[in-house]
């Protein structure tokens, strides 16, 4: 048939509590990718023809009911060719049955879950690209084991986590990871999302005698903990914080004080493709990408683009290609294992103004971690 | 005669609506689910709050409990039983809450109910994280969207019927008296506590059921998703906008507002908020007595339909003070 | 340990109290439940952020600019949005519904404007983020400032409202606007002033909070709700009430986090709030009905 | 023969103020008794305790020998005690007829439906509001609102009617109709406790008077005698009335 | 001093006053008599600026037009009203209510003297300065309302049924005090159902019936005029 464009649709939290996360990791990459593809003449088809992308965008207003309906709308009203996933673990799960029912591949990025293998079984066309909690915590445990072996830190950990899906997933993975690595978790509490004052927890952690402080936190809390730790002169040898640490603004804001702080994600600064991507991102969207999920999101779009190029607009074929093909993306060479991305950076650290990948320690390109974390300036 | 005609018309409308899944696509059904859900929520809200003037923000507490009950029990009990359990839990909580709020009036009641919803959310979260160690729960129930829709439609019809029945019963008059002046109400023999409690419970059970019925649509449920306070606010706004104390008022507020939200977020994803806000303000200025009031003005005026205004500043109970008459 | 917790709690409570003061004034005097209150706070926070990051002016100096702007904004909102509704309702209860709906609309408008202007991202900068030693506890200077401001504004305005004719007149408008003209009070002006004053206080709160709290264009609602809790717990329109309620909530949160479990802090906050209302249905300092 | 209403040692304190202090009296079936006293002497407070609007701090209230002190207002109302309020309390958003229907619908033996509507019409005629049934109660004049309130109280078919300054604010002509209305009620056998400052009404209606001052009973007896009592004159009537 | 000309007021469709005229001279005490619903309260409220009269109305006070002034400015000119239903501030204390009575600039100068006068007139208020007005008895609240109006140092004091709910002994005292206030040069415009006592302190009276002035005359004459009887029997007869 004579098509003149490819319709790509997505529903994203532009407003409401999720908009902060979606606005940094997901939406800018969708915008960037669509612009780049269209500037280059459009999506390339197997026959070499290029078709521009026509974007259909909805705001899910951070509501589960809205995101479900928006996907239904994209599939049955707008009849888009592909649907990009929403932001957040819960929302990706909420829409997974719909992607499945309507036959759309779902390249879920901003969803950290250990249940990915089960989900892949249930929804054959779902892809999980950000790993599971266990990946991150065992990478961290590996790093800690190394440090303890070198005598840098003791074997005690103080740990706090936010009481929502993300925090729980990570903390439940962390407990066995740390235990297996021979660490003792001496302080282990959960706080409600929206907590602004961490003084009591910091005081307890400081008094616990642990050299390592881990917080599976969200951005506002990550920022708050960093500030309040400085005020309280709480300077653990290892400071590992959650989402938000990998935001460029975190580095800018904390300057020299960011040095040595660790978190999920990270990038290999020597990866040129990534560096070029970061530059384009800054230019087009006016903001720098975060240093964890952003590049993976962009990578997922490149995979989709490439799969379309190879197999056309047939969604089943594209799904098959995504499952089995090998792709060259900003991450380098990517091949999914059981619909999951396994080659990821699970731990990063701020080192002289850059959030570099430090874990898994044995992966090529990993920078050596700076331990212990330097004292607050 | 009028009543019979009204019933016939309503029956026809609901019959037509029941066939909707056969000629609508998935999105259409989704839309109908959302709309029916909010019509039911707003009507159930109006049943208590619209009639007594006690503005409740606890809607999402019951809605969320309904959804959570399904999430917790979906692998252990048959679906109809889960709904019963959800209803029972809603009733139980409603009675406890109803009892504790009897002394509160006006804005104190409003914020109390808001605090209550948040408390329940926090407790559920805490329980799940520290006691069961799981926060998110999965719902893999073989309940399709059209089944959800039909269930909601039945619930909606039931809610409207109850509202109609209450409106013409002694209970309805009692509520209007309470809304006007509780001191007088008690002095003419109305048991305020029982009346309020009864209505609050009915309304809460309906709301709980809406949450329970809708839950299978989300697959994954966590407190942040099902206890989203927006639900309370939207319900309240829809009911107030339509005219909370009238039979069709909440529906007349919910349907256009729901469609408006949908249309705005689809066509103006970037300026959704601004346009929505401006529209709200315009509506307040143009339709001072709600959509239902406006509709009534268009047709005819009949005494006795004046809406009970929320008692945010209820006259002090038991004191003899009243402001200048007129 | 105990004093540290106590001080941490008070300082946290200072933030809560500061945020709630403007709202209690607005609700107490102008009798409108301003659902867009939190948006005013966030707007001021954005302003402080801009002033700090683009112009390099310290937020404290920025206060001199932003607080009057908040006042002017409140004045305009009352004048353009609320006064027509007040007039229309002629003292009837319709005003309550109308003002909820109208300010709900305003909430979306302000939020949308900020969304378009600043995007949905987290905004964060820090100012005065150094420790100050208070009785052996290290307290962030910016948070301490919030407490001090809350105490000064709260205490000062409380004295003004209860001990001057002008303040009594404002309270009179609050309790019986229809009777105010009988003694020569311009009820409309008083209400407008009260609303504007609330706007100025919200702006102060926003500026101070922006120094240590991360925010986004959509965080306003959280502040509105927190403020409402504090206002209601203290008793509507009562500054001393807002101040004590804020401090109590801060203490509860800190003590529960320290001695019980951080996971229960918010639950405890709401529990205390509900318990206090059950004990005193009109808030801590509210006029006892009955 | 037990009294219809009997109070003994009835006391109510507000903080440090004892508004009603060990008040005691009996009212027999069919009596019309005036309760008089200077402003703030505790009359309304006493009425409030009898009707259940306030809980007594001490003492007893018996209706036909059965203790009712401290019961909630709706219970007492259902036992046949109806009242009007010093400042009228109509139900402003209801129509005149609905105001009266409300009185019928929740009494001990409730009346509802067609019969209630007829009864409401009858009551409205009785208080001089025929043909006004459909009007919004809020828009009536003060006096007419008082009539609505009385009709509502009568709807309860009370055995004891408490009138709190129901005749205040009437001009002489209206006062005469008002007095006729109440005396008609008296003739139908309703027991009435009447708080009133209008002496003309008290003289015309009450066989017996109780006078309070500062919360305590200072006089109780046949009206003419009580109104001549020196202490009553000094505390309440003033020399002009003596 | 107060000249009301063709004052007309309607409440929606219902016309409450059909163009009434009335004068109150400096230091004069005038009563308005009329049946229930005649429009007496409406008249006072219109003068006080609390209800908007229709076009064609003229209300002049001390030579200046006050017809469309907002109520708080009317008070500032020296026109005070004690409305029926009292209009006190229920949640404030007695002292605060009285203090606000002197809110008008013109009243500040003599505040202390006026307060002493009010407390002298109503000793109960002196005893209960700290009591919240909403908890007071009906009559006590009436005292607050009158006292508060006196605090505004009015040049003309309008009272709508001031004796309502007051014990007989107080009614007597109140009217004696009002007479005293009148002798001190304050004009009084009184609506009162207690015809005998109000006429006893009045110079002149008006008869209002169904929104129209139907008579006017010296108080003493009115007291035994049959038309006075008529005015009262007028609309109320059927009730
Ligand atoms: N809730 C309350 N708190 C404090 N004092 C109160 C309260 N209610 C009444 N009082 C006081 O109790 C006393 C008795 O009041 P009550 O209303 O019974 O008087 P009353 O005899 O009806 O007077 P009136 O003739 O003026 O209506 C008054 O002095 C009043 O101020
Ligand atoms: N707010 C209102 N809305 C509609 N009609 C009103 C309103 N206020 C007064 N009226 C009508 O206006 C007319 C005059 O009322 P007004 O209160 O002035 O009478 P009044 O002479 O003071 O009577 P009363 O002796 O009962 O106090 C009455 O018929 C009344 O029903
Ligand atoms: Mg009384
Ligand atoms: Mg009148």
């Amino acid at each position: 048939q004579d098509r003149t464009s490819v319709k790509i649709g997505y529903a994203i939290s532009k407003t409401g509590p999720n908009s902060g996360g979606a606005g940094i990791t997901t939406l800018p990459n969708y915008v960037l990718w669509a612009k780049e593809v269209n500037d280059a003449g459009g999506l390339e088809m197997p026959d070499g023809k290029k078709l521009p992308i026509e974007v259909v965008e909805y705001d899910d207003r951070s509501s589960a009911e809205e995101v479900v309906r928006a996907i239904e709308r994209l599939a049955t009203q707008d009849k888009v060719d592909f649907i990009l996933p929403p932001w957040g673990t819960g929302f990706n799960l909420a829409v997974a049955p719909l992607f499945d029912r309507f036959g759309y591949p779902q390249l879920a990025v901003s969803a950290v879950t250990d249940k990915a293998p089960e989900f892949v079984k249930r929804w054959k066309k779902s892809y999980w690209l950000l790993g599971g909690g266990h990946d991150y915590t065992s990478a961290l445990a590996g790093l800690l084991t190394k440090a303890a072996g070198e005598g840098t830190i003791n074997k005690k950990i103080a740990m706090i986590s936010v009481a929502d899906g993300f925090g729980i997933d990570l903390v439940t993975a962390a407990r066995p990871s740390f235990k297996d690595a021979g660490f003792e978790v001496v302080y282990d509490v959960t706080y409600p999302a929206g907590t602004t004052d961490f003084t009591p927890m910091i005081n307890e952690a400081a008094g616990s005698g642990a050299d390592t402080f881990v917080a599976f936190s969200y951005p506002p809390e990550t920022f708050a903990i960093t500030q309040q730790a400085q005020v309280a002169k709480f300077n653990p040898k290892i400071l590992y914080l959650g989402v938000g640490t990998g935001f460029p603004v975190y580095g800018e804001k904390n300057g020299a004080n960011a040095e040595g702080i660790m978190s999920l994600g990270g990038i290999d600064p020597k990866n040129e493709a990534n560096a070029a991507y970061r530059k384009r991102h800054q230019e087009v969207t006016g903001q720098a990408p975060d240093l964890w999920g952003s590049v993976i999101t962009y990578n997922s779009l490149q995979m989709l683009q490439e799969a379309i190029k190879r197999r056309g607009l047939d969604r089943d074929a594209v799904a098959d290609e995504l499952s089995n093909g090998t792709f060259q993306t900003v991450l380098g060479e990517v091949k999914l294992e059981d619909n999951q991305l396994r080659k990821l950076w699970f731990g990063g650290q701020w080192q002289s103004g850059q959030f570099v990948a430090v874990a898994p320690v044995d992966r090529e390109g990993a920078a050596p971690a700076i331990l212990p974390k330097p004292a607050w300036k | 005669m009028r009543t019979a005609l009204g019933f016939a018309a309503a029956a026809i409308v609901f019959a037509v609506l029941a066939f909707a899944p056969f000629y609508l696509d998935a999105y259409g059904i989704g839309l109908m689910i959302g709309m029916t859900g909010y019509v039911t929520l707003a009507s159930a809200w109006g049943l208590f709050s619209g009639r007594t003037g006690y503005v409740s923000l606890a809607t999402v507490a019951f809605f969320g409990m309904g959804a959570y009950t399904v999430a917790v029990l979906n692998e252990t009990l048959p679906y109809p039983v889960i709904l019963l359990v959800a209803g029972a839990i809603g009733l139980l909580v409603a009675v406890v809450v109803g009892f504790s709020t009897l002394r509160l009036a006006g804005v104190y009641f409003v914020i109390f109910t808001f605090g209550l919803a948040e408390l329940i959310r926090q407790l559920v979260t805490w329980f799940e994280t520290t006691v069961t160690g799981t926060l998110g729960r999965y719902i893999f129930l073989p309940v399709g969207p059209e089944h959800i829709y039909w269930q909601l439609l039945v619930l909606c019809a039931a809610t409207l019927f109850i509202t109609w029945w209450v409106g013409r019963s002694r209970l309805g008059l009692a509520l209007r008296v309470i809304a006007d002046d509780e001191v007088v109400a008690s002095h003419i023999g109305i048991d305020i506590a029982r009346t309020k409690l009864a209505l609050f419970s009915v309304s809460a059970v309906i709301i709980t059921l809406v949450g329970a019925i809708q839950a299978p649509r989300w697959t994954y449920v966590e407190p942040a998703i099902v206890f989203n306070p927006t639900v309370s606010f939207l319900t309240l706004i829809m009911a107030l906008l339509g005219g909370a104390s009238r039979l069709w008022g909440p529906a007349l507020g919910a349907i256009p507002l729901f469609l408006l939200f949908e249309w705005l977020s689809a066509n103006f994803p970037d300026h959704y908020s601004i346009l929505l806000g401006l529209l709200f303000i315009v509506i307040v200025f143009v339709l001072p007595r709600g959509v239902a009031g406006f509709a009534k003005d268009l047709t005819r005026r009949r005494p006795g339909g004046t809406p009970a205004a929320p008692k945010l500043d209820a006259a002090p109970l038991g004191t003899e003070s009243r402001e200048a008459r007129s | 340990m105990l004093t540290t917790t106590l001080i941490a709690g008070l300082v946290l409570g200072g933030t809560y109290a500061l945020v709630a003061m403007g709202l209690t004034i607005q609700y107490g005097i102008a009798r409108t439940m301003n659902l867009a209150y939190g948006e005013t706070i966030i707007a001021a926070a954005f302003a402080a952020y801009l002033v700090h990051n683009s112009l390099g002016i310290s937020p404290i100096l920025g206060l001199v600019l932003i607080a009057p702007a908040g006042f002017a904004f409140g004045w305009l909102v009352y004048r353009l949005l609320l006064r027509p509704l007040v007039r229309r309702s002629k003292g009837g209860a319709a005003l309550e519904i109308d003002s909820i709906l109208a300010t709900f609309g305003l909430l979306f408008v302000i939020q949308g404007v900020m969304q378009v202007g600043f995007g949905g991202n987290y905004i964060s900068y820090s100012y005065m983020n150094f420790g100050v030693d208070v009785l052996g506890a290290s307290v962030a200077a910016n948070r301490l400032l919030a407490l001090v401001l809350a105490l000064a504004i709260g205490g000062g305005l409380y004295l003004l409202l209860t001990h001057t004719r002008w303040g009594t007149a404002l309270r009179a408008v609050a309790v019986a606007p229809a009777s105010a003209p009988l003694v020569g009070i311009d009820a409309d002006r008083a209400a407008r002033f009260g609303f504007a004053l609330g706007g100025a206080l919200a702006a102060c709160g926003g500026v101070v909070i922006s120094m240590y709290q991360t925010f986004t264009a959509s965080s306003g609602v959280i502040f509105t709700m927190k403020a409402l809790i504090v206002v209601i717990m203290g008793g509507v329109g009562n500054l001393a009430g807002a101040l004590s309620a804020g401090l109590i909530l801060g203490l509860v949160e800190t003590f529960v986090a320290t001695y019980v479990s951080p996971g229960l802090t918010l639950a405890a906050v709401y529990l205390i709030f509900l318990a206090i209302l059950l004990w005193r249905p009109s808030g801590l300092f509210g006029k006892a009905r009955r | 023969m037990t009294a219809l209403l009997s109070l003994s040692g009835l006391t109510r304190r507000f903080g440090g103020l004892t508004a009603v202090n060990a008040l005691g009296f009996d009212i027999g079936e069919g009596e019309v008794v005036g309760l008089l006293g200077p402003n703030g002497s505790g009359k309304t407070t006493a009425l409030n305790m009898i009707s259940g609007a306030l809980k007594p701090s001490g003492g007893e209230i018996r209706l036909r020998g059965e203790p009712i002190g401290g019961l909630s207002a709706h219970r007492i109302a259902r036992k046949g005690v109806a009242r009007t309020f010093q400042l009228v309390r109509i139900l402003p958003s209801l129509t005149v007829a609905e105001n009266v229907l409300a009185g019928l619908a929740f009494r001990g033996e409730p009346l509802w439906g067609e019969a209630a509507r007829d009864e409401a019409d009858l009551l409205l005629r009785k208080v001089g509001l025929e043909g006004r049934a459909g009007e919004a109660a809020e828009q009536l004049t003060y006096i007419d609102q008082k009539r609505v309130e009385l009709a509502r109280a009568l709807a309860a078919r009370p055995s004891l009617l408490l009138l709190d300054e129901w005749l205040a604010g009437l001009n002489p002509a209206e006062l005469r109709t008002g007095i006729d209305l109440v005396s008609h009620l008296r003739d139908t056998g309703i027991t009435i406790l009447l708080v009133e400052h209008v002496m003309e009404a008290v003289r015309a209606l009450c066989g017996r008077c109780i006078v309070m001052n500062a919360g305590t009973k200072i006089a109780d007896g046949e009206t003419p005698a009580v109104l001549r009592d020196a202490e009553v004159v000094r505390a309440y009537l003033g020399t002009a009335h003596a | 001093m107060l000249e009301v000309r063709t004052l007309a007021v309607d409440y929606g469709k219902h016309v409450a006053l059909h163009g009434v005229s009335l004068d109150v001279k400096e230091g004069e005490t005038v009563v308005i008599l009329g049946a229930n619903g005649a429009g007496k309260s409406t008249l006072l409220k219109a003068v006080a600026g609390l209800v908007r009269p229709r076009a064609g109305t003229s209300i002049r006070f001390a030579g200046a037009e006050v017809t469309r002034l907002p109520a708080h400015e009317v008070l500032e000119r020296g026109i005070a009203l004690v409305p029926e239903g009292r209009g006190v501030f229920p949640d404030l204390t007695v002292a605060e209510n009285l203090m606000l009575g002197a809110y008008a600039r013109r009243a500040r100068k003599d505040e202390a003297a006026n307060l002493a006068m009010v407390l002298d007139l109503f000793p109960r208020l002196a005893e209960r300065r700290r009591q919240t007005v909403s908890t007071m008895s009906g009559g006590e609240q009436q005292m607050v309302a009158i006292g508060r109006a006196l605090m505004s140092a009015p040049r003309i004091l309008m009272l709508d049924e001031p004796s309502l709910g007051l014990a007989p002994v107080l009614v007597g005292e109140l009217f004696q005090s009002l007479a005293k206030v009148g002798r001190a040069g304050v004009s009084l415009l009184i609506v009162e159902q207690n015809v005998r006592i109000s006429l006893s302190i009045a110079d002149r009276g008006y008869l209002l019936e169904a929104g129209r002035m139907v008579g006017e005359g010296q108080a003493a004459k009115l007291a035994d005029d049959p038309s006075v009887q008529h005015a009262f029997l007028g609309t109320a007869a059927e009730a």
Side-chain angles (χ1 to χ4, degrees), chain B residues 320, chain D residues 40 42-45 86 164-165 195 197, chain E residues 137-139:
Chain B
E320 287 281 300
Chain D
K43 307 179 294 293
T44 299
T45 307
Q86 185 165 358
D164 198 353
E165 303 200 25
V195 171
H197 291 305
Chain E
S137 82

Side-chain angles (χ1 to χ4, degrees), chain B residues 170 176 180-181 186-187 189 325, chain D residues 51 78 89 93 105 110 142:
Chain B
R170 281 193 324 143
R176 287 171 56 203
D180 258 6
D181 191 329
S186 63
H187 278 90
R325 299 190 330 251
Chain D
S51 76
R78 288 185 187 173
R89 292 188 100 129
S93 75
Y142 190 54

Side-chain angles (χ1 to χ4, degrees), chain D residues 39 141 147 165 169 171 174 177 236, chain E residues 36 164-165 167 169-170 193 239:
Chain D
N39 295 115
T141 58
R147 291 191 166 118
E165 303 200 25
N171 71 28
E174 292 159 349
T177 22
Y236 179 60
Chain E
N36 150 229
L164 191 78
V169 60
L170 263 181
Q193 302 291 23

Side-chain angles (χ1 to χ4, degrees), chain C:
Chain C
M1 197 65 206
L2 196 67
T3 40
T4 322
T5 314
L6 200 69
I7 287 165
L10 286 176
V11 170
L12 178 64
T15 302
Y16 291 155
L18 183 64
V19 168
M21 292 199 163
L23 191 67
T24 205
I25 294 262
Q26 283 185 343
Y27 193 86
I29 294 173
R31 297 234 272 188
T32 39
M33 170 156 2
N34 179 11
L35 289 180
Y37 179 77
E39 270 57 37
T40 319
I41 295 185
I42 296 298
F46 270 113
Y49 168 74
L50 278 186
V51 160
H52 178 258
N53 270 33
S54 322
L55 307 178
I57 299 176
S58 113
I60 306 274
L61 280 181
L63 212 54
V64 179
L65 237 87
I66 296 168
F71 188 91
F73 179 72
W75 198 91
L76 277 179
V77 167
Y78 190 86
R79 181 71 210 247
L80 300 178
L81 188 67
L82 297 173
R83 186 160 81 162
L85 299 179
V86 173
R87 294 249 154 118
R88 185 171 87 187
S89 77
K90 301 200 180 80
L95 179 62
E96 301 282 1
I97 306 182
D98 285 352
S99 62
I100 289 182
L101 291 174
T103 56
F104 194 65
L106 184 66
L107 175 166
F108 279 109
V109 174
I110 305 179
Q111 200 181 84
V113 169
M114 292 192 297
Q115 198 100 36
V116 170
F118 299 93
N121 287 338
Y122 294 106
I123 304 288
S124 158
Y125 71 97
S126 56
Y127 186 76
M128 283 177 61
N129 187 50
F130 48 82
V132 175
D133 190 89
V134 180
L135 301 175
S138 178
V139 175
N142 43 31
R143 284 174 180 263
L144 198 61
L145 176 70
L147 175 63
V148 170
L149 265 185
L151 288 173
I153 295 177
L157 279 178
Y158 178 76
L159 289 181
L160 276 180
L161 282 182
T162 47
H163 285 78
T164 65
R165 190 196 310 271
W166 169 82
T168 312
L170 287 186
R171 287 190 294 133
V173 171
V175 293
S179 306
L182 291 172
V183 297
I185 300 171
D186 184 345
D188 175 52
R189 216 179 81 180
R192 203 174 341 131
F193 178 80
F195 199 84
L197 187 63
L201 293 185
C204 283
V207 170
V208 177
I209 283 169
S210 74
M211 299 180 193
Y212 53 85
Q213 219 156 298
T214 307
F215 53 94
T216 72
S218 356
S219 348
V221 185
I222 301 168
F223 286 98
T224 309
M225 283 349 279
K226 209 45 173 250
L228 272 174
I229 296 277
V230 175
V231 167
I232 295 303
M233 185 169 148
V236 164
N238 194 304
L239 281 162
L243 195 58
S244 3
L247 295 181
I248 290 176
L249 290 189
L251 286 172
V252 167
E253 209 176 306
T254 314
F255 271 87
V256 170
T258 311
Y259 297 108
V260 186
S261 156
L264 284 174
T265 46
L266 292 190
V269 160
Y270 290 114
L271 207 63
I272 286 283
F273 166 71
L274 300 185
I276 286 192
L277 274 199
L278 291 182
W279 168 53
R280 295 189 62 107
S282 311
L284 284 174
F285 284 59
K287 283 266 148 61
R289 309 293 206 185
R290 252 176 227 277

Side-chain angles (χ1 to χ4, degrees), chain A residues 254-267:
Chain A
N254 290 296
N257 274 332
E259 188 72 6
I261 297 178
M262 294 199 272
S263 179
L264 307 85
I267 56 163

